[in-house]
Short mmCIF file of all heavy atoms in Angstrom, two decimals:
data_model
loop_
_atom_site.label_atom_id
_atom_site.label_comp_id
_atom_site.label_asym_id
_atom_site.label_seq_id
_atom_site.Cartn_x
_atom_site.Cartn_y
_atom_site.Cartn_z
N ALA B 101 35.24 137.21 16.75
CA ALA B 101 36.34 136.66 15.98
C ALA B 101 37.33 137.70 15.56
O ALA B 101 38.53 137.54 15.63
CB ALA B 101 35.84 135.99 14.76
N GLU B 102 36.82 138.89 15.19
CA GLU B 102 37.67 140.05 14.71
C GLU B 102 38.51 140.46 15.97
O GLU B 102 39.74 140.76 15.84
CB GLU B 102 36.77 141.17 14.21
CG GLU B 102 36.31 140.93 12.78
CD GLU B 102 34.98 140.06 12.79
OE1 GLU B 102 34.63 139.50 13.80
OE2 GLU B 102 34.40 140.07 11.73
N PHE B 103 37.90 140.63 17.14
CA PHE B 103 38.53 141.08 18.24
C PHE B 103 39.67 140.12 18.75
O PHE B 103 40.70 140.49 19.16
CB PHE B 103 37.60 141.39 19.44
CG PHE B 103 37.01 142.76 19.38
CD1 PHE B 103 36.23 143.21 18.36
CD2 PHE B 103 37.28 143.63 20.44
CE1 PHE B 103 35.74 144.53 18.34
CE2 PHE B 103 36.86 144.96 20.40
CZ PHE B 103 36.05 145.36 19.32
N SER B 104 39.33 138.82 18.53
CA SER B 104 40.30 137.77 18.95
C SER B 104 41.51 137.77 18.02
O SER B 104 42.64 137.63 18.40
CB SER B 104 39.70 136.37 18.93
OG SER B 104 38.58 136.32 19.91
N ARG B 105 41.20 137.89 16.68
CA ARG B 105 42.27 137.94 15.74
C ARG B 105 43.20 139.11 15.94
O ARG B 105 44.36 139.02 15.90
CB ARG B 105 41.65 138.08 14.34
CG ARG B 105 42.50 137.60 13.15
CD ARG B 105 41.82 137.70 11.84
NE ARG B 105 40.61 137.04 11.78
CZ ARG B 105 39.44 137.51 11.26
NH1 ARG B 105 39.43 138.74 10.79
NH2 ARG B 105 38.35 136.82 11.17
N GLY B 106 42.61 140.27 16.27
CA GLY B 106 43.45 141.50 16.52
C GLY B 106 44.30 141.20 17.81
O GLY B 106 45.44 141.70 17.84
N ALA B 107 43.72 140.61 18.80
CA ALA B 107 44.54 140.43 20.03
C ALA B 107 45.67 139.50 19.69
O ALA B 107 46.80 139.71 20.22
CB ALA B 107 43.61 139.74 21.07
N GLU B 108 45.41 138.48 18.94
CA GLU B 108 46.56 137.48 18.52
C GLU B 108 47.64 138.22 17.77
O GLU B 108 48.79 137.96 18.00
CB GLU B 108 45.98 136.30 17.67
CG GLU B 108 45.06 135.39 18.45
CD GLU B 108 45.74 134.59 19.47
OE1 GLU B 108 47.00 134.47 19.51
OE2 GLU B 108 45.09 133.91 20.27
N ALA B 109 47.17 139.18 16.87
CA ALA B 109 48.21 139.96 16.15
C ALA B 109 49.00 140.84 17.03
O ALA B 109 50.27 140.91 16.87
CB ALA B 109 47.47 140.80 15.09
N ALA B 110 48.41 141.45 18.10
CA ALA B 110 49.13 142.27 19.03
C ALA B 110 50.14 141.43 19.80
O ALA B 110 51.22 141.83 20.04
CB ALA B 110 48.19 142.98 19.94
N LEU B 111 49.63 140.25 20.21
CA LEU B 111 50.52 139.34 21.02
C LEU B 111 51.69 138.88 20.15
O LEU B 111 52.86 138.86 20.60
CB LEU B 111 49.76 138.11 21.50
CG LEU B 111 50.53 137.07 22.23
CD1 LEU B 111 51.20 137.60 23.53
CD2 LEU B 111 49.69 135.83 22.61
N TYR B 112 51.43 138.64 18.89
CA TYR B 112 52.51 138.15 17.93
C TYR B 112 53.59 139.20 17.87
O TYR B 112 54.76 139.00 17.95
CB TYR B 112 51.87 137.93 16.55
CG TYR B 112 52.88 137.66 15.49
CD1 TYR B 112 53.49 136.42 15.36
CD2 TYR B 112 53.34 138.66 14.58
CE1 TYR B 112 54.46 136.14 14.42
CE2 TYR B 112 54.26 138.42 13.70
CZ TYR B 112 54.84 137.20 13.61
OH TYR B 112 55.78 136.97 12.62
N LEU B 113 53.12 140.52 17.67
CA LEU B 113 54.08 141.61 17.61
C LEU B 113 54.85 141.81 18.88
O LEU B 113 56.10 141.99 18.92
CB LEU B 113 53.35 142.90 17.22
CG LEU B 113 52.90 142.91 15.71
CD1 LEU B 113 51.98 144.12 15.51
CD2 LEU B 113 54.10 142.96 14.81
N ALA B 114 54.16 141.69 20.01
CA ALA B 114 54.81 141.81 21.29
C ALA B 114 56.01 140.78 21.41
O ALA B 114 57.11 141.11 21.83
CB ALA B 114 53.88 141.69 22.46
N LYS B 115 55.69 139.49 21.03
CA LYS B 115 56.66 138.47 21.06
C LYS B 115 57.70 138.68 20.03
O LYS B 115 59.00 138.59 20.37
CB LYS B 115 55.99 137.15 20.87
CG LYS B 115 55.14 136.67 22.07
CD LYS B 115 54.60 135.30 21.76
CE LYS B 115 53.92 134.78 23.03
NZ LYS B 115 53.23 133.57 22.80
N LEU B 116 57.45 139.11 18.89
CA LEU B 116 58.41 139.33 17.79
C LEU B 116 59.39 140.42 18.26
O LEU B 116 60.65 140.29 18.00
CB LEU B 116 57.59 139.78 16.60
CG LEU B 116 58.47 140.03 15.30
CD1 LEU B 116 58.98 138.67 14.77
CD2 LEU B 116 57.59 140.70 14.17
N PHE B 117 58.97 141.46 18.91
CA PHE B 117 59.83 142.57 19.27
C PHE B 117 60.35 142.39 20.71
O PHE B 117 61.22 143.19 21.08
CB PHE B 117 59.09 143.86 19.14
CG PHE B 117 58.93 144.40 17.74
CD1 PHE B 117 57.74 144.09 17.09
CD2 PHE B 117 59.97 145.07 17.08
CE1 PHE B 117 57.59 144.58 15.80
CE2 PHE B 117 59.78 145.45 15.79
CZ PHE B 117 58.60 145.28 15.13
N GLY B 118 59.93 141.35 21.39
CA GLY B 118 60.40 141.22 22.74
C GLY B 118 59.91 142.27 23.69
O GLY B 118 60.62 142.65 24.63
#
Side-chain angles (χ1 to χ4, degrees):
E102 286 84 348
F103 272 65
S104 298
R105 203 180 304 136
E108 292 291 348
L111 177 62
Y112 172 81
L113 286 170
K115 287 184 172 170
L116 184 70
F117 285 96

